């Protein structure tokens, strides 16, 4: 009798576990389906109402970098490290523009897709995560295009320290996503904030050291720039390419902490301000 009860309990526990596993799978499948739908709508609605318009996402930062590199070459700017001007500035522009572009385009993600919240299956976080994946994929395509261009110019674009270069890129993406989540929630409530942040990204971009080499400026200027987490991503990237590159201003803990902290704060804001966003 006792054995029968034990077997019954075990069968019941197994059934509960299976039901829980199925519910998790169902929830994950729902999340993926919703995000897929949001991404497809985002791609079609942003450029020319056509899926191929997505190519504009990676091409815009590529065009930005190429124009700057052509200008530097025309002005006979010298590389501060190494003997390749294109590679030196590319190592700064790629992480800098990654953080700026990802955060700026994420800032209007909820605002641009707010009507989708009228569907019960679509949640605020779905829109934010879908746009973040879209922007990350777009920037990775941009990097791939740039590598092809740099190789075609006869330059070796691969770093001496691949692991640190990869971590620098991840830190730039993390900052872009984290800040983007925060700004997207605020912009969904106060649309004018999107313009304010777009202007502010210019300051982030300049003080990152990507378009200009800040080490040639007075120490007071560099000390101010060190408050910008993107500056540390740029320094991290360049130090992975050039042996002997000065890392006295680089703080890997600062940029990683900024990235993780901004993502955590953004998710908390999304949770707490969800009613205001829905009713805004």
């Amino acid at each position: 009798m006792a054995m029968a009860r034990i077997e019954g309990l075990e069968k019941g526990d197994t059934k509960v576990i299976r039901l829980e596993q199925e519910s998790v799978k169902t929830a994950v499948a729902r999340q993926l389906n919703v995000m897929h739908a949001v991404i497809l709508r985002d791609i079609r609605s942003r450029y020319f109402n056509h899926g191929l318009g997505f190519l504009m996402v990676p091409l815009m930062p590529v065009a930005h970098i190429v124009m700057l590199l052509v200008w530097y070459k025309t002005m006979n700017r010298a590389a501060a490290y190494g003997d390749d001007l294109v590679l030196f500035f590319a190592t700064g522009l790629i992480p800098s523009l990654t953080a700026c572009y990802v955060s700026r385009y994420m800032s209007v993600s909820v605002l641009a897709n707010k009507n989708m919240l009228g569907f019960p299956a679509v949640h605020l976080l779905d829109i934010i995560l879908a746009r973040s994946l879209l922007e990350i994929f777009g920037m990775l395509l941009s990097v791939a295009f740039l590598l092809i261009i740099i190789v075609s110019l006869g330059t070796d674009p691969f770093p001496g320290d691949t692991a640190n270069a990869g971590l620098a890129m991840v830190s730039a993406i993390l900052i872009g996503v984290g800040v983007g989540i925060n700004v997207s929630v605020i912009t969904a409530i106060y649309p004018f904030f999107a313009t304010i942040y777009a202007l502010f990204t210019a300051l982030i971009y300049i003080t990152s050291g990507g378009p200009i080499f800040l080490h040639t400026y007075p120490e007071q200027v560099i000390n101010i720039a060190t408050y910008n987490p993107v500056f540390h991503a740029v320094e991290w990237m360049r130090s992975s390419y050039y042996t002997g590159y000065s890392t006295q201003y680089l703080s890997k803990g600062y940029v990683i902490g900024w990235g993780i902290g901004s993502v955590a704060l953004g998710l908390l804001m999304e949770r707490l301000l969800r009613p205001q966003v829905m009713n805004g």
Side-chain angles (χ1 to χ4, degrees):
M1 192 72 174
M3 289 296 294
R5 288 180 180 177
I6 292 172
E7 289 177 0
L9 288 172
E10 289 178 348
K11 289 180 180 179
D13 291 341
T14 303
K15 188 175 182 180
V16 169
I17 292 171
R18 286 178 179 173
L19 288 173
E20 288 177 350
Q21 289 176 341
E22 289 176 2
S23 64
V24 170
K25 289 180 181 178
T26 302
V28 170
R30 185 209 68 82
Q31 184 81 16
L32 292 176
N33 288 334
V34 170
M35 288 178 63
H36 181 251
V38 173
I39 288 174
L40 289 178
R41 183 191 181 281
D42 218 1
I43 291 173
R44 293 186 65 87
S45 63
R46 282 175 67 182
Y47 300 105
F48 318 123
N49 196 31
H50 194 281
L52 291 177
F54 174 71
L55 290 176
M56 290 296 293
V57 176
L59 289 179
M60 287 178 68
V62 169
H64 185 146
I65 293 175
V66 169
M67 285 190 294
L68 278 175
L69 293 177
V70 169
W71 183 75
Y72 291 149
K73 201 79 173 177
T74 304
M75 299 298 292
N76 291 320
R77 294 281 297 275
Y81 281 85
D83 55 0
D84 195 306
L85 175 72
V86 171
L87 182 62
F88 177 74
F89 280 103
T91 55
L93 290 170
I94 288 174
S96 177
L97 288 177
T98 295
C100 290
Y101 268 81
V102 170
S103 64
R104 191 173 71 184
Y105 283 113
M106 279 189 66
S107 69
V108 294
S109 58
V110 179
L111 199 62
N113 295 286
K114 205 170 184 179
N115 57 342
M116 293 196 73
L117 293 173
F119 297 98
V122 180
H123 300 149
L124 178 60
L125 191 59
D126 296 329
I127 293 175
I128 294 172
L129 292 180
R131 176 61 71 92
S132 67
L133 290 175
L134 187 62
E135 296 305 331
I136 291 171
F137 182 65
M139 284 309 304
L140 292 178
L141 281 179
S142 297
V143 173
F145 290 157
L146 282 168
L147 290 178
I148 293 172
I149 293 171
I150 293 173
V151 168
S152 68
L153 294 174
T155 298
D156 181 7
F158 301 103
D161 190 342
T162 307
N164 269 305
L167 289 172
M169 192 65 184
V170 169
S171 70
I173 291 172
L174 197 60
I175 292 168
V177 171
V179 174
I181 295 173
N182 284 272
V183 179
S184 66
V185 174
I186 297 172
T187 301
I189 302 172
Y190 305 106
F192 66 87
F193 192 74
T195 303
I196 295 174
Y197 182 70
L199 295 172
F200 186 67
T201 53
L203 180 61
I204 297 173
Y205 175 57
I206 293 171
T207 59
S208 70
I212 53 178
F213 186 53
L214 293 177
H215 285 218
T216 58
Y217 285 74
E219 190 170 353
Q220 295 90 331
V221 174
I222 302 175
N223 288 334
I224 293 172
T226 56
Y227 289 100
N228 179 357
V230 184
F231 169 83
H232 297 275
V234 170
E235 292 291 283
W236 197 349
M237 179 66 79
R238 282 180 171 158
S239 67
S240 69
Y241 271 83
Y242 300 103
T243 303
Y245 185 88
S246 176
T247 57
Q248 67 178 106
Y249 301 107
L250 170 60
S251 175
K252 297 176 182 179
Y254 181 77
V255 65
I256 293 173
W258 237 97
I260 295 174
S262 60
V263 170
L265 179 61
L267 294 175
L268 180 63
M269 286 180 61
E270 183 275 334
R271 182 83 174 180
L272 296 177
L273 299 179
R274 191 179 298 167
Q276 289 90 319
V277 173
M278 298 296 291
N279 297 326

